[in-house]
Amino acid sequence: MSSQPPATQRATLTDQLRLRTKFIIDPVVDVLARYKLGPDFLTVLGFLTHILFAYLIAIGEFPWAAVAIALMSPLDALDGALARRLGRKQGGFGAFLDSSLDRLAEIVLFGGFIYYYYSQVDPLMLAVAYLAVTGSLMVSYARSRAEALGFQAKTGLLSRVERYVVLIAFLALQLPHIALVILAAFTYFTFFQRMWAVWQQSRETSE
């Protein structure tokens, strides 16, 4: 199969937020670089914050979980920016660590929901939580696998930032079940959007 040139796609919410918050991120990154803090440290710290998120969710402290996620999840934007600031090459161990811990962080986070609904003896919401976490993982996997094959798959309704926005909003309203239903439905929808995008690109390369 011939190599596929990157398809022109609309900027995701993640891309837009990074551009609009550059004036905040850049000074923070400058300070971190000055004190010789590495991007891998931020990656691990970002993962560890998800243990706190999961704990707050597991004990039913949904508004506090929303506050914690809103305040701490932006750490995810700092590690990549810091790596670029320090001139680290892309695609090394840091990129692997970041991608792997991002997926593990989501598993830990949704584990909080699973524990909560298990303790509430709510098998229906346990099933919904399962669909939400597996759908989230498949969205990320689809992009990773597509890019490994030379395609672009950043398209879709619920990328990682959008998923966290849904969580923050409905946890703040103490409606975690609504958040999970939305995530369970629309992460799989996003997954199929990405499959469709890759299929279209693959057809173009074969013509």
Side-chain angles (χ1 to χ4, degrees):
M1 182 178 69
S2 60
S3 62
Q4 171 67 24
T8 302
Q9 299 188 38
R10 186 179 64 179
T12 64
L13 179 59
T14 304
D15 297 328
Q16 294 174 27
L17 285 175
R18 282 176 178 164
L19 286 174
R20 292 176 182 177
T21 59
K22 196 174 188 304
F23 72 99
I24 298 173
I25 291 174
D26 284 355
V28 175
V29 166
D30 288 341
V31 172
L32 294 173
R34 190 177 305 123
Y35 286 97
K36 309 297 183 183
L37 290 176
D40 292 350
F41 169 79
L42 293 181
T43 298
V44 173
L45 181 61
F47 164 73
L48 293 176
T49 62
H50 283 69
I51 298 175
L52 172 63
F53 305 159
Y55 171 73
L56 292 171
I57 291 168
I59 63 174
E61 293 288 348
F62 303 125
W64 283 113
V67 171
I69 295 170
L71 291 177
M72 299 181 187
S73 58
L75 279 171
D76 185 57
L78 293 177
D79 53 3
L82 181 58
R84 290 187 292 273
R85 173 70 171 77
L86 296 175
R88 301 279 180 89
K89 68 174 184 177
Q90 295 183 349
F93 175 74
F96 171 80
L97 181 69
D98 182 54
S99 179
S100 298
L101 288 188
D102 279 352
R103 305 293 78 75
L104 188 57
E106 287 195 86
I107 292 171
V108 169
L109 175 61
F110 283 101
F113 287 108
I114 290 171
Y115 180 88
Y116 175 78
Y117 287 112
Y118 174 79
S119 66
Q120 297 293 311
V121 193
D122 191 336
L124 176 59
M125 287 309 301
L126 276 173
V128 173
Y130 169 80
L131 290 173
V133 65
T134 54
S136 295
L137 294 175
M138 289 309 299
V139 168
S140 299
Y141 174 79
R143 176 184 169 184
S144 176
R145 184 59 179 154
E147 291 178 348
L149 294 171
F151 299 110
Q152 291 290 329
K154 290 178 69 174
T155 187
L157 188 62
L158 284 188
S159 67
R160 193 164 188 256
V161 170
E162 286 91 339
R163 297 197 296 272
Y164 278 67
V165 169
V166 169
L167 283 172
I168 291 167
F170 287 100
L171 286 173
L173 295 171
Q174 300 193 64
L175 297 171
H177 55 291
I178 302 297
L180 289 179
V181 168
I182 292 172
L183 292 173
F186 289 101
T187 52
Y188 275 97
F189 179 75
T190 304
F191 169 63
F192 287 115
Q193 282 182 298
R194 292 186 172 186
M195 286 189 69
W196 174 257
V198 172
W199 179 74
Q200 288 181 312
Q201 292 171 62
S202 68
R203 289 196 64 184
E204 292 171 4
T205 62
S206 62
E207 291 176 356

